[in-house]
Amino acid sequence: MDLPAPIHDFLLVFLGSGLILGSLGVVLLPNPIYSAFSLGLVLFCISLFYILSNSYFVAAAQLLIYVGAINVLIIFAVMFMNGSEYYKGFSLWTVGDGVTSMVCTSLFISLITTIPDTSWYGIIWTTKSNQILEQDLISNSQQIGIHLSTDFFLPFELISIILLVALIGAIVIARQ
Amino acid sequence: MMLEHVLVLSAYLFSIGIYGLITSRNMVRALMCLELILNSVNINFVTFSDIFDNRQLRGDIFSIFVIAIAAAEAAIGPAIISSIYRNRKSTRINQSNLLNK
């Protein structure tokens, strides 16, 4: 998105802090309904982040499918199965939680020490420079539609069959 | 540069999702943490597609596939959880011993 650099950086920091606090809230809040709404905040921030990185179609799909469908379904599941058992044992901190937090912290530290060491810009600029003229002719959504109906036609049909089978299976399981 | 910051952010989301997936005792919260992990994968796809592959947009198409898989998973998961809840009156992970009969 063509914004001036200070506004872009400010939006990036704002969305990043929203992501960090929201994902901590998903994991650490004791009541599942609060963590479901916090998940909605995280998904909305990710959708705005996609708009910042020029992927408007994926941003719209994220906003429609994740925030509109999946989050509503999760909130419905939380409200449908809300018992008094959630409030009993949220304060106990077992050994397994400590071990898991140690493992996940070491995973995160190893990832963020790997990221600056990799030379990302050595792998680019091979296919981009000669095709930059026809980039502006058609829009982003048109390009995604053309690629979905030509190159990725078989995975597209397989995804639709998987969605159909999953919906029928969910109805059969939940119906009894 | 912006790329490393975004990769650190997505690594943070991934490790938080792994932590919540292992330590949560509620099945619905485990589903939420699974969505966090899939979203971190999607952030990586969209960022690499934006910076490295500006014309072909394969990262966007793969993130659309991941979103579709997440939709299928979010349809199946609450159905299984509601079936377990109907039999056990509980959604705790460590009490689901339906195969034990």
Side-chain angles (χ1 to χ4, degrees):
Chain A
M1 202 171 184
D2 298 330
L3 286 177
I7 300 177
H8 188 273
D9 291 343
F10 171 72
L11 280 178
L12 203 61
V13 169
F14 185 68
L15 291 180
S17 56
L19 271 178
I20 290 172
L21 294 179
S23 55
L24 275 181
V26 170
V27 177
L28 295 181
L29 282 177
N31 198 348
I33 193 75
Y34 292 154
S35 60
F37 282 114
S38 175
L39 180 72
L41 171 71
V42 169
L43 297 176
F44 187 70
C45 285
I46 290 174
S47 164
L48 291 181
F49 180 79
Y50 289 163
I51 293 178
L52 276 186
S53 63
N54 295 314
S55 302
Y56 306 112
F57 186 78
V58 187
Q62 169 97 7
L63 201 61
L64 284 175
I65 296 174
Y66 267 111
V67 185
I70 294 179
N71 198 17
V72 168
L73 200 60
I74 285 176
I75 288 175
F76 178 73
V78 169
M79 287 183 177
F80 181 60
M81 288 164 280
N82 202 1
S84 61
E85 59 188 333
Y86 296 137
Y87 302 102
K88 280 183 199 167
F90 72 90
S91 62
L92 64 136
W93 173 268
T94 60
V95 181
D97 289 357
V99 171
T100 311
S101 73
M102 265 179 43
V103 166
C104 289
T105 310
S106 60
L107 178 69
F108 177 58
I109 288 174
S110 68
L111 279 176
I112 66 171
T113 50
T114 309
I115 286 168
D117 292 340
T118 313
S119 62
W120 298 108
Y121 292 94
I123 47 179
I124 50 170
W125 316 124
T126 58
T127 63
K128 191 178 173 182
S129 58
N130 51 355
Q131 289 151 344
I132 209 161
L133 280 180
E134 42 188 323
Q135 173 189 342
D136 297 331
L137 297 181
I138 51 179
S139 69
N140 198 347
S141 315
Q142 280 176 324
Q143 280 181 344
I144 288 177
I146 287 170
H147 279 287
L148 272 182
S149 55
T150 53
D151 295 339
F152 295 91
F153 184 68
L154 191 61
F156 186 64
E157 294 296 322
L158 282 179
I159 280 294
S160 61
I161 290 174
I162 283 175
L163 268 177
L164 179 67
V165 170
L167 286 181
I168 292 175
I171 292 171
V172 167
I173 289 173
R175 190 173 54 93
Q176 322 165 359
Chain B
M1 186 48 199
M2 184 182 161
L3 173 68
E4 283 85 5
H5 299 166
V6 176
L7 290 184
V8 166
L9 200 63
S10 116
Y12 169 78
L13 267 186
F14 182 78
S15 46
I16 276 284
I18 290 283
Y19 172 74
L21 186 64
I22 293 175
T23 62
S24 69
R25 294 178 179 82
N26 188 1
M27 289 186 191
V28 187
R29 191 186 295 253
L31 275 183
M32 292 182 219
C33 296
L34 209 57
E35 303 293 333
L36 280 186
I37 294 174
L38 290 174
N39 269 297
S40 76
V41 175
N42 266 344
I43 287 177
N44 267 354
F45 270 135
V46 170
T47 308
F48 279 114
S49 162
D50 179 39
I51 295 181
F52 290 158
D53 194 10
N54 208 358
R55 179 184 171 265
Q56 295 284 330
L57 297 168
R58 294 173 197 262
D60 285 358
I61 292 170
F62 270 94
S63 66
I64 289 169
F65 287 161
V66 172
I67 286 175
I69 291 295
E73 172 258 334
I76 287 290
I80 294 175
I81 293 173
S82 73
S83 173
I84 290 176
Y85 179 73
R86 200 178 299 125
N87 287 319
R88 275 287 178 266
K89 303 296 177 210
S90 164
T91 58
R92 297 178 66 120
I93 287 181
N94 49 6
Q95 289 177 356
S96 62
N97 46 3
L98 280 174
L99 292 179
N100 203 6
K101 291 178 183 175

